[in-house]
């Protein structure tokens, strides 16, 4: 089979980690006899610099014509002036919306070899294996109005709108339940129903969807309590379903359970095709552009490499190939290779290229 993958390196360490992901894809292609045709396009700050637009139409077109997207990261201090007319993040939000990627899947799994890399006590993080399913194209990130204005008495004010309709909530929860059925069969739906109307609708719909999955255990947890439980008993979670804002915040928090953000992959998916064909998705590391270490060759490529594994399994149905990539990552960790973000005493410190090479050798 031939698969078309669009590479969007973006900003900061994005180009370094996407190059690593592309190298792994090539290695998988050679080993298993697939062809991954890769082409590159602009998004984020670099797209602003070169075209004035964080998401050029050409980029969206290229993504649409392919089978999957591998994205690095967007943003950086160069483009973060709050008064700037365009921002790199608009490129990422535009991609999600423009490609209909409403479900963001963020697995958080502790590799046993990294148990000491987490800032939390080993007995707390032991056995952590959860998935955050975050709604990605609605809620307060997209609700209108969103604006800054001056009131009649001359004060500046700004507002955002948190809006969800029942279909947006239901389709996200169905994804969460389907994932739970392939795991430990538990879904935690997160909201702030004690305060927000949009959360009360979320909970109402969550219960309707839950009733369709009697084989899966369901619970509701308020977002503030969820933040606390993630620190107190993280191993008790299986699938966490949350709206756009809550999922964004909880997934950064949860990343610390795995030792480093440099380890966490993600998939952003749209509707699953009924015919079992390619399931279009965008795959990206959770860590962001890390401008402080960009260009130094020390970024951890493993989150991107694990994102490639998710792409192989989810979009292309290549489970054996995905397993091979994940096993190779596990093995480099067991063999002691560490980028600086996960370095600990007695281990071999390496940079991006050496880490990638070590993974490729083990595929
Ligand atoms: C993420 C990031 C993005 C988000 C930013 C870069 C817009 O934090 O993917 O979690 O808020 O969704
Ligand atoms: Mg985030």
């Amino acid at each position: 089979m031939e698969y078309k993958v669009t590479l969007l390196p973006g900003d900061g360490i994005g180009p370094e980690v996407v190059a690593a992901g592309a190298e792994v894809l090539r290695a998988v292609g050679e080993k298993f006899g697939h062809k991954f045709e890769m082409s590159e396009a602009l998004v984020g700050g670099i797209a602003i610099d070169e075209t004035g637009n964080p998401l050029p139409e050409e980029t969206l077109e290229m993504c649409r014509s392919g089978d999957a997207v591998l994205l690095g990261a967007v943003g950086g201090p160069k483009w973060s002036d709050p008064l700037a007319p365009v921002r790199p993040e608009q490129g990422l939000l535009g991609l999600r919306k423009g490609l209909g990627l409403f479900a963001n899947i963020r697995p958080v799994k502790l590799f046993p070899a990294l148990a000491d890399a987490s800032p939390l006590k080993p007995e707390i993080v032991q056995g952590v294996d959860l998935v955050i399913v975050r709604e990605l194209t609605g809620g307060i990130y997209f609700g209108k109005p969103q604006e800054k204005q001056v009131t009649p008495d001359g004060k500046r004010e700004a507002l955002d709108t948190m809006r969800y309709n029942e279909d947006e909530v239901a389709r996200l929860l169905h994804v969460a339940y389907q994932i739970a059925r392939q795991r430990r069969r538990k879904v935690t739906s997160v909201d702030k129903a004690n305060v927000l109307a949009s959360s009360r609708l979320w909970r109402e719909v969550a219960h309707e969807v839950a009733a369709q999955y009697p084989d899966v255990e369901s619970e509701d947890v308020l977002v503030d309590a969820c933040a606390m439980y993630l620190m107190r008993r993280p191993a008790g979670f299986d699938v966490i379903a949350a709206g756009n804002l809550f999922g964004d915040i909880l997934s950064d928090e949860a990343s610390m359970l795995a030792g480093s953000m440099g380890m966490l992959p993600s998939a952003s998916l749209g509707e699953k095709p009924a015919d079992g064909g390619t399931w279009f998705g965008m795959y990206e590391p959770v860590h962001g552009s890390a401008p402080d270490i960009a260009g130094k060759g020390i970024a951890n490529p493993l989150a991107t490499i694990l994102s490639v594994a998710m792409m192989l399994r989810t979009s292309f149905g290549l489970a054996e190939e995905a397993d091979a990539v994940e096993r190779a990552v596990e093995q480099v960790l067991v063999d002691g290779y560490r980028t600086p973000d996960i370095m600990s005493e007695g281990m071999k410190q390496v940079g991006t290229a050496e880490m990638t090479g070590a993974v490729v050798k083990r595929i």
Side-chain angles (χ1 to χ4, degrees), residues 22 37 62 85 96 131 146 176 180 206 216 234 246 265 271 273 281 343 354:
E37 193 198 309
M62 194 188 280
R96 292 168 176 172
V131 179
Q146 177 183 67
V216 178
F246 299 157
E271 219 62 72
M343 183 60 190
E354 207 180 330

Side-chain angles (χ1 to χ4, degrees), residues 125-349:
V125 296
Q126 202 201 355
V128 164
D129 180 4
L130 60 88
V131 179
I132 295 180
V133 181
R134 168 189 175 195
E135 201 288 325
L136 206 56
T137 52
I140 198 166
Y141 284 44
F142 290 94
K144 294 282 177 312
Q146 177 183 67
E147 59 203 21
K148 182 176 161 195
Q149 58 203 21
V150 179
T151 61
D153 59 348
K155 293 262 180 248
R156 288 168 297 166
E157 69 168 24
L159 67 118
D160 297 282
T161 303
M162 173 112 75
R163 183 194 304 270
Y164 270 118
N165 71 42
E166 58 179 312
D167 298 337
E168 291 171 310
V169 179
R171 67 181 181 179
L172 189 273
L173 280 150
H174 279 294
V175 171
Y177 277 93
Q178 276 150 26
I179 291 174
R181 274 190 168 160
Q182 289 160 18
R183 299 174 41 94
R184 303 196 309 279
R185 291 177 186 259
K186 181 176 170 193
V187 171
T188 302
S189 171
V190 173
D191 61 46
K192 186 69 185 167
N194 54 348
V195 178
L196 303 175
S198 55
S199 277
R200 284 190 287 276
L201 174 69
W202 180 283
R203 189 173 286 207
E204 193 182 320
V205 175
H207 290 180
E208 290 160 12
V209 174
Q212 299 169 46
Y213 299 86
D215 54 316
V216 178
E217 186 190 335
S218 302
E219 66 176 1
D220 305 301
V221 175
L222 294 171
V223 62
D224 44 355
C226 189
M228 185 262 294
Y229 291 140
L230 274 172
M231 301 289 98
R232 198 171 82 189
R233 50 159 186 82
F237 289 108
D238 181 21
V239 176
I240 297 176
N244 207 341
L245 176 63
F246 299 157
D248 185 21
I249 297 168
L250 293 178
S251 60
D252 268 33
E253 186 195 10
S255 72
M256 284 298 105
L257 302 166
S260 164
M261 273 190 120
M263 295 302 302
L264 292 198
S266 79
S268 301
L269 302 167
E271 219 62 72
K272 187 175 182 169
D275 64 1
T278 305
W279 188 0
F280 183 85
M282 182 163 83
Y283 298 83
E284 69 185 284
V286 171
H287 52 59
S289 62
D292 51 318
I293 59 162
K296 295 189 177 156
I298 58 169
N300 185 346
L302 295 180
T304 308
I305 291 172
L306 291 168
S307 301
V308 165
M310 288 185 88
M311 177 192 295
L312 293 168
R313 182 179 291 114
T314 311
S315 280
F316 305 153
L318 301 174
E320 194 191 331
E321 290 80 345
D323 287 344
V325 173
E326 284 166 357
R327 267 201 312 271
V329 169
E330 175 120 49
Q331 196 54 50
V332 293
L333 295 172
V334 169
D335 293 344
Y337 291 84
R338 299 286 188 274
T339 42
D341 57 307
I342 50 174
M343 183 60 190
S344 62
E345 218 184 298
M347 300 293 144
K348 281 192 274 286
Q349 186 162 322

